[in-house]
Amino acid sequence: MTFQTEKEIIRAHHRALASATADTIPAALAEQTHPDWQWRGMHPWHEQRGAAAVAAAFWQPFLNAMSRVQRREDVFFAGRNQIDGFQSVWVVSMGHLMGLFDAPFLAIRPTRRIAMLRYAEFHRIEGGKIVETAFFCDLLHLMRQAGQCPLPPQTGAHLIQPGPATHDGLLHTPQPEAEGVRTLDLICRMIGAINEHQVFSGPQEELAQHWHDDMLWWGPEGIGATFTIPRYIEQHQRPFRTHLADRAFNGHIARLAEGSYGGFFGWPNLSLTPKGGYMGLPAGPRADMRVVDIYRRDGDKLAENWIFIDMLHFLNMQGLDVLARLKLI
């Protein structure tokens, strides 16, 4: 299956959004979506139903705040969902929504400068319509661009994160089926290694099974980006495993691959108990992480990984209202 029909639905959807205003965005969203469209968004939007509700929750406030918005897409692929036995077809888009930050958005102050909101979308297509969407974006990353930093310093780097080093992430044309199978199999084996990490002599051996040594891990704001296996261990994996206890994997809603690209999301993926120290914050009650991972495979190992986490929801479950804290900064 080439997924060309499903890809064109999403490309048409993006074209409609590109020419929409805050006034016309409800109609633009309705063009390619089912009337009962299920939309999952980050905190504070959470779950919405139908184009009008999605427009009111996210798109109208965003377009009122950001002028001259452009979609700077870096990754685009489609595939059948392993989680439901390869029954449903999903299309994935990742990149930045770029604009001029001219008016307040949520509690984030405008800068009148260029701003780039990292995003990742998973769309399920059925009957020629978008029936389900997961929309992840990095609000902490946008806050940092605006000079509002509500959290302690992070372990990784803050960057406007680029697309694939190979510049081949936009899979608009059909891809060899066998390549997608290889990518999905590698992702699944990597997940298995995480769940059984105790069988390895240490994190270096565990990661080397499935990752190139010069891996790039494009983590979300609050954690940050890291480069190479040793620095990934130092700047993300060790703090994550040391300061978060009782990790429970709740599963994924979608997991798919095409060509050398693949990814997944959950709602939530993980439940954990902060012991104190993670992201520089004190211990807190058990909380959920809604996570997106998108990967690029190079040969028989993974080379790049882009991660989105609903950090505001994770922190809100622990009693920290980041959007309220912004008003004090």
Side-chain angles (χ1 to χ4, degrees), residues 126-165:
E126 186 177 293
K129 292 290 184 180
I130 304 168
V131 297
E132 185 177 353
T133 294
F135 175 81
F136 283 68
C137 62
D138 196 335
L139 290 173
L140 288 175
H141 193 261
L142 184 64
M143 293 173 197
R144 173 70 77 91
Q145 293 173 63
Q148 291 176 275
C149 305
L151 299 178
Q154 61 188 26
T155 51
H158 164 79
L159 300 168
I160 298 296
Q161 299 188 3

Side-chain angles (χ1 to χ4, degrees), residues 6 31 56 106 156 199 235 306 324:
E6 290 82 4
E31 288 183 18
L106 300 173
V199 306
Q235 296 169 5
W306 295 264

Side-chain angles (χ1 to χ4, degrees), residues 278-300:
Y278 186 65
M279 295 170 58
L281 298 171
R286 194 162 182 77
D288 296 334
M289 280 190 173
R290 302 164 173 170
V291 184
V292 161
D293 277 74
I294 294 175
Y295 301 90
R296 177 175 69 86
R297 175 181 57 83
D298 179 8
D300 61 355

Side-chain angles (χ1 to χ4, degrees), residues 72 96-99 114-118 141-142 145 160:
R72 310 282 294 191
H96 295 81
L97 296 174
M98 183 189 78
I114 188 173
M116 301 184 77
L117 179 64
R118 296 181 65 225
H141 193 261
L142 184 64
Q145 293 173 63
I160 298 296

Side-chain angles (χ1 to χ4, degrees), residues 82 184-197 206 210 249 252 255 264 295 302:
Q82 183 190 48
L184 188 58
D185 176 68
L186 178 57
I187 291 170
C188 291
R189 286 189 283 113
M190 180 272 301
I191 294 170
I194 293 174
N195 293 333
E196 299 177 2
H197 63 89
E206 172 198 338
H210 305 109
F249 175 57
H252 297 143
R255 188 191 301 154
F264 55 73
Y295 301 90
L302 298 169

